[in-house]
Amino acid sequence: MNVIKPFYASCLLALSLLTPSLVKANPTASQYQQILNHNLAENEPGVSVIISKNGKVLFKGTRGLANLEHNIALNEQSVLRLGSISKQFTAAAIMMLQEQGKLAVTDDIHKYVASFPTEGNLVTIENLLTHTSGIANYTDDDDLFDKEIQIPTSVDDALARFAKHPMVFKPGEAMAYSNTGYSLLGKIIEVASGQSYKDFIEQHIFKKLKMNQSSYEGQELVTHRASGYEQTEQGFINTSYINMDWPYAAGALISTPTDLNIWFSALSSGKLISKAGYEKMVSPFKLNDGSFSSYGYGLIIKPLNEYTVIKHTGGINGFLAHARYIPEQKLYVAVLANSNHINPISINEKLTARALGIALPEFKKAEVTELQLAPVLGDYRIDENTLRSLIFENDVLYSKRTGGDKTKLITMSKNSFYYPNSNNYLVIEKNSQGQLVMKYFSGLSTTPTEAIKI
């Protein structure tokens, strides 16, 4: 860390741990449970989690209620929506079909979905898998997502609706998340296999691996299904309805942490697809300019200090989820939540840190005036196209990244701030040139991303 100039010399005292250090290893189940108890209320929606290492389950736990109306607690059998964690199943299904010789990831998608417009561009299956196709994301269409998402549809009708969106860039030029791309992958699976997406996933993955509490969500009765909730200023409400015809291969699966552990153990060990196929899934994708995207096939690959993290987050009406795998330790941690007020990433990070013996940064709120904050307010350049702004409005400090929403910050000093319900924080220092540098620490990393004040 750079030496702090005199103006900032005492500002970081409120942040007692800037660099995570080692803590006592081999935590007990009660210590993991304490993390859940400390972060979640017993009488509210909550989480179901699992931690495994080297194939051995270290901890299964829950906190909170599966159903508020009937006061039913979450338990290990509670079934929750996965949202976009479904994408790794879709990607694995594509790899299975490739290994069966029924398709190739280098195929033009028009071999399977001839009518879907790509504006004269060659879009491959691999482009869909890696979100590098340039095909727009249908969930960015507010009119569709707000008004049509409750109405039943067919795969072909949904794709015809998505086809109305123009492409956003040339294939391979960038990575931009596209649920539409994964809906197209679902259709490709159907054409190549001769089965519906639902039947293929349930027969060739869930039944094969004995994932007995996993399924494609429909209107069937599901034993131990958890209800989904949203937190409002008036309290919790039942989440709004979504017809699962729309999320489809991008997010329509439901499961439990126990089943997810079975799943990822099989996937990473070569029991479901070849080890070479799995390595392809967890490899960064090379873009047209030679740079690499951190998104592989249905999975994100990021460094975490001396470790690698293979992960994905899911979010769908009433449910949030985050699952991660640390290959160097064969550590798997999955957190499924049944409310939009819970941050499963933060909880997952806390459990991961405890399992790895990493101490989390400790935050302490401090009252800071607008006058004291004035020198650090303004815009900071992350890259050519992206700024992060610090804004003070109505006695509240916010962070806003280009294209994103304002996010509340809690002050620890006049140059250090943390995000509520998160392990992420910002520290602002002067560099040797006298410039203000915003250092953003996220995901347990001890290496921040930096931005210069403009």
Side-chain angles (χ1 to χ4, degrees):
M1 181 173 292
N2 295 333
V3 175
I4 304 173
K5 298 294 182 178
F7 175 78
Y8 299 95
S10 63
C11 293
L12 298 181
L13 297 179
L15 185 57
S16 60
L17 280 177
L18 279 178
T19 304
S21 57
L22 293 180
V23 296
K24 185 177 179 181
N26 302 317
T28 64
S30 63
Q31 289 173 323
Y32 286 125
Q33 186 65 49
Q34 285 172 8
I35 292 173
L36 304 186
N37 295 352
H38 179 74
N39 287 275
L40 298 159
E42 187 177 19
N43 61 347
E44 294 181 355
V47 299
S48 179
V49 312
I50 195 167
I51 305 170
S52 71
K53 188 173 182 179
N54 292 315
K56 178 183 177 182
V57 174
L58 302 180
F59 175 70
K60 290 183 184 180
T62 60
R63 176 71 167 176
L65 298 178
N67 186 280
L68 299 185
E69 291 91 336
H70 298 289
N71 197 37
I72 299 172
L74 284 160
N75 60 53
E76 293 175 14
Q77 293 181 301
S78 297
V79 177
L80 299 92
R81 287 175 175 168
L82 298 182
S84 286
I85 288 180
S86 303
K87 288 181 171 67
Q88 59 198 255
F89 293 88
T90 300
I94 290 288
M95 298 306 288
M96 293 169 74
L97 290 168
Q98 176 169 261
E99 292 180 1
Q100 294 169 15
K102 295 181 178 179
L103 58 74
V105 297
T106 53
D107 286 343
D108 185 335
I109 66 169
H110 288 141
K111 183 176 178 180
Y112 309 92
V113 281
S115 63
F116 196 88
T118 58
E119 299 174 16
N121 296 294
L122 170 63
V123 175
T124 66
I125 292 174
E126 187 173 49
N127 289 137
L128 301 181
L129 289 165
T130 56
H131 298 291
T132 59
S133 67
I135 292 171
N137 181 13
Y138 80 85
T139 58
D140 291 337
D141 182 337
D142 292 339
D143 193 58
L144 186 160
F145 200 71
D146 293 340
K147 297 179 182 178
E148 300 174 51
I149 211 75
Q150 298 183 351
I151 303 168
T153 188
S154 67
V155 176
D156 291 337
D157 286 348
L159 291 177
R161 176 65 176 85
F162 302 158
K164 296 179 181 180
H165 302 134
M167 293 184 67
V168 293
F169 54 78
K170 297 284 186 181
E173 284 188 351
M175 180 268 169
Y177 201 79
S178 176
N179 286 293
T180 303
Y182 269 75
S183 291
L184 283 164
L185 287 171
K187 177 64 175 180
I188 290 169
I189 289 167
E190 295 194 355
V191 173
S193 70
Q195 292 181 280
S196 71
Y197 172 81
K198 174 182 184 294
D199 288 347
F200 187 91
I201 297 295
E202 292 187 349
Q203 178 182 338
H204 298 283
I205 297 179
F206 295 156
K207 288 183 180 178
K208 181 176 180 179
L209 298 180
K210 295 184 169 64
M211 296 172 62
N212 298 326
Q213 291 184 280
S214 302
S215 62
Y216 182 102
E217 185 175 5
Q219 293 182 301
E220 300 89 351
L221 298 180
V222 175
T223 305
H224 303 295
R225 186 203 300 263
S227 300
Y229 297 96
E230 298 173 17
Q231 188 180 53
T232 70
E233 293 181 357
Q234 291 73 41
F236 289 104
I237 61 172
N238 288 299
T239 191
S240 56
Y241 175 72
I242 181 171
N243 188 290
M244 301 305 277
D245 292 343
W246 293 94
Y248 180 49
L253 303 183
I254 54 178
S255 189
T256 67
T258 297
D259 272 7
L260 287 181
N261 186 55
I262 293 171
W263 153 252
F264 213 86
S265 176
L267 182 68
S268 60
S269 66
K271 292 179 181 177
L272 189 68
I273 61 174
S274 68
K275 289 189 177 181
Y278 168 72
E279 288 302 321
K280 191 67 177 176
M281 288 182 66
V282 298
S283 296
F285 181 75
K286 190 174 183 179
L287 300 172
N288 295 349
D289 65 2
S291 65
F292 285 87
S293 162
S294 61
Y295 202 100
Y297 295 180
L299 291 161
I300 299 166
I301 308 96
K302 286 287 185 70
L304 169 59
N305 305 328
E306 71 268 34
Y307 301 112
T308 303
V309 180
I310 298 165
K311 62 184 180 178
H312 213 288
T313 301
I316 193 169
N317 301 41
F319 297 84
L320 293 168
H322 187 77
R324 60 176 55 201
Y325 180 64
I326 313 291
E328 294 88 349
Q329 296 288 320
K330 294 187 178 179
L331 178 72
Y332 185 73
V333 184
V335 177
L336 304 184
N338 66 325
S339 175
N340 70 340
H341 82 291
I342 297 169
N343 183 347
I345 300 175
S346 175
I347 293 170
N348 195 308
E349 287 173 352
K350 287 178 167 67
L351 295 170
T352 300
R354 197 71 187 89
L356 294 175
I358 298 173
L360 291 164
E362 297 176 0
F363 304 137
K364 184 178 180 181
K365 182 180 179 180
E367 296 299 327
V368 182
T369 67
E370 182 176 9
L371 183 62
Q372 291 174 308
L373 290 172
V376 300
L377 298 179
D379 298 329
Y380 294 76
R381 183 168 298 284
I382 298 172
D383 57 39
E384 183 179 350
N385 301 311
T386 313
L387 301 177
R388 189 186 301 277
S389 303
L390 289 186
I391 306 162
F392 194 82
E393 293 180 349
N394 302 318
D395 295 325
V396 179
L397 181 65
Y398 296 97
S399 166
K400 185 180 185 302
R401 188 181 170 104
T402 300
D405 297 326
K406 289 189 300 184
T407 304
K408 183 179 179 180
L409 289 172
I410 308 297
T411 54
M412 295 185 287
S413 71
K414 54 191 175 184
N415 74 308
S416 62
F417 322 101
Y418 70 93
Y419 292 81
N421 194 28
S422 171
N423 305 307
N424 300 344
Y425 60 96
L426 300 173
V427 177
I428 297 173
E429 302 175 342
K430 281 185 179 178
N431 63 17
S432 58
Q433 288 78 45
Q435 299 169 303
L436 286 181
V437 180
M438 175 189 287
K439 298 186 175 184
Y440 175 56
F441 294 83
S442 66
L444 306 180
S445 177
T446 57
T447 304
T449 57
E450 297 187 354
I452 305 293
K453 194 172 191 294
I454 59 176

